[in-house]
């Protein structure tokens, strides 16, 4: 608890133990991982083994070349397979404090997929103001809930993918810019999968989506819907779609996001 990992370079670990990370957290909370460079790793650079307590901060890290010997994972990964009773919220509770992941540059190449793989019921994660390259956007499955994904710049094959949960504990995806990379197995330019097709599980609004031809669909339950059809359901209010901008524009947007982070760090 209250540990800080700051200003380190981590690379070429995991020569014998492949399920290893630059930062591995188990039954711990309220820690800070800040201003590190992590690369050339067999698995995730940062791994939260469970959701005990939460309240962590992951900020201003540069992460790339992860998951070089594995897949179904991300440069940052979390699991949360069981509840823990703690007093971090001020009284005994199974709730966790929000973990913030912000102002990071994350490249999900090799076997990585999501920039942050919130797996196996991960909950109470706030991911914002990051640049994700070659990365799927927001992931939340197997009962994950009460998380936020906003103000992120995503360039990858999918903007979000979520499972189902209970009303009143939905996740939120808003004010993001997501650019789909061209791929032959996605002819409808499907930007994400909302399993329940309901704001009970995922609230979507004020996002910008881009594809090579400007046509984009949402997988809403078992249906493929357009933006107009989504908005008729009360979802994606204020969102817009467009044609993939030039490489110069994409780089300018990423630099703008990273430039804002430098100002925040001063």
């Amino acid at each position: 608890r209250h540990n800080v990992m700051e200003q380190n370079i981590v690379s070429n670990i995991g020569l014998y133990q492949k399920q290893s990370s630059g930062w591995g957290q188990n039954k711990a909370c309220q820690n800070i991982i800040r201003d590190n460079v992590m690369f050339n790793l067999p698995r995730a650079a940062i791994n939260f083994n469970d959701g005990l307590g939460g309240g962590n901060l992951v900020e201003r890290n540069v992460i790339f070349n992860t998951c070089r010997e594995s897949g179904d994972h991300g440069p940052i990964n979390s699991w949360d397979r069981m509840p823990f009773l703690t007093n971090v919220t001020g009284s005994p509770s199974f709730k966790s404090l929000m973990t913030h992941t912000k102002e990071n540059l994350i490249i999900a190449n090799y076997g990585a997929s999501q920039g942050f793989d919130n797996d196996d019921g991960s909950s109470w994660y706030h991911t914002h103001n990051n640049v994700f390259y070659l990365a799927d956007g927001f992931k939340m499955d197997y009962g994950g809930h009460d998380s936020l994904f906003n103000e992120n710049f995503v360039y990858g094959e999918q903007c979000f993918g979520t499972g189902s949960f209970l009303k009143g504990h939905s996740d939120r995806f808003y004010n993001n810019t997501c650019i789909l990379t061209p791929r032959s197995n996605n002819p409808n330019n499907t930007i994400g999968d909302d399993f329940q097709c309901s704001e009970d599980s995922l609230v979507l609004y004020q996002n910008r989506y881009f594809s090579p031809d400007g046509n984009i669909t949402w997988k809403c339950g078992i249906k493929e819907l357009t933006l107009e059809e989504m908005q008729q359901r009360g979802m994606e209010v204020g969102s817009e779609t467009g044609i993939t901008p030039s490489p110069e524009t994409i780089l300018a947007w990423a630099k703008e996001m990273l430039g804002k982070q430098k100002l925040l760090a001063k």
Side-chain angles (χ1 to χ4, degrees):
R1 195 172 184 181
H2 302 304
N3 299 289
V4 178
M5 177 183 180
E6 187 170 33
Q7 296 184 345
N8 299 283
I9 296 176
V10 180
S11 70
N12 294 295
I13 63 172
L15 299 179
Y16 301 105
Q17 169 54 265
K18 301 307 179 183
Q19 185 67 285
S20 58
S21 303
W23 174 272
Q25 181 166 313
N26 305 271
K27 295 182 180 177
C29 63
Q30 295 176 294
N31 298 305
I32 296 174
I33 306 99
R34 173 194 290 143
D35 294 330
N36 302 285
V37 178
M38 305 184 189
F39 61 98
N40 292 354
L41 306 171
R43 198 75 164 139
I46 299 170
N47 185 53
F48 295 99
N49 187 71
D50 51 67
L52 184 149
N56 305 290
L57 174 62
V58 181
E59 68 173 350
R60 299 195 304 268
N61 300 284
V62 176
I63 301 173
F64 59 96
N65 291 3
T66 63
C67 301
R68 296 198 301 170
E69 300 178 51
S70 61
D72 189 23
H73 214 53
I76 306 177
N77 179 78
S78 65
W79 293 308
D80 192 2
R81 297 180 175 125
M82 64 180 296
F84 289 92
L85 182 65
T86 74
N87 63 358
V88 296
T89 61
S91 60
S93 174
F94 288 107
K95 290 184 177 181
S96 295
L97 297 175
M98 195 71 78
T99 285
H100 288 266
T101 303
K102 65 187 184 77
E103 303 165 13
N104 301 283
L105 172 59
I106 298 175
I107 300 174
N109 54 344
Y110 284 93
S113 50
Q114 294 81 16
F116 192 160
D117 187 350
N118 291 124
D119 203 4
D120 289 359
S122 298
S123 303
W124 295 291
Y125 283 89
H126 188 180
T127 304
H128 55 101
N129 300 100
N130 301 282
V131 173
F132 295 116
Y133 180 69
L134 297 179
D136 295 349
F138 181 51
K139 175 187 174 182
M140 192 60 62
D141 63 3
Y142 299 113
H145 57 88
D146 291 292
S147 292
L148 309 173
F149 190 98
N150 65 285
E151 307 289 347
N152 297 290
F153 180 82
V154 179
Y155 184 93
E157 294 186 351
Q158 181 171 281
C159 304
F160 61 84
T162 62
S164 58
F165 204 68
L166 302 176
K167 187 174 182 178
H169 294 277
S170 58
D171 301 310
R172 292 180 178 270
F173 182 96
Y174 60 96
N175 291 343
N176 299 289
T177 296
C178 184
I179 301 174
L180 288 182
T181 56
R183 56 188 176 120
S184 59
N185 64 344
N186 187 19
N188 295 327
N189 293 326
T190 303
I191 55 97
D193 188 347
D194 183 0
F195 182 81
Q196 281 180 276
C197 195
S198 165
E199 291 198 343
D200 289 351
S201 60
L202 181 63
V203 179
L204 301 156
Y205 59 94
Q206 293 181 349
N207 299 293
R208 296 191 301 172
Y209 303 104
F210 298 90
S211 71
D213 60 9
N215 295 317
I216 288 175
T217 61
W218 283 250
K219 188 174 181 183
C220 208
I222 61 174
K223 297 180 179 179
E224 294 274 350
L225 302 181
T226 64
L227 176 59
E228 181 180 2
E229 291 170 327
M230 288 289 288
Q231 291 177 338
Q232 288 173 353
R233 291 171 172 256
M235 306 173 75
E236 290 288 12
V237 174
S239 297
E240 58 186 40
T241 62
I243 295 173
T244 301
S246 67
E248 292 77 13
T249 299
I250 293 172
L251 284 172
W253 287 350
K255 288 179 179 179
E256 180 183 14
M257 175 71 75
L258 295 174
K260 289 179 181 178
Q261 295 169 18
K262 288 181 180 178
L263 291 174
L264 291 170
K266 290 182 178 179

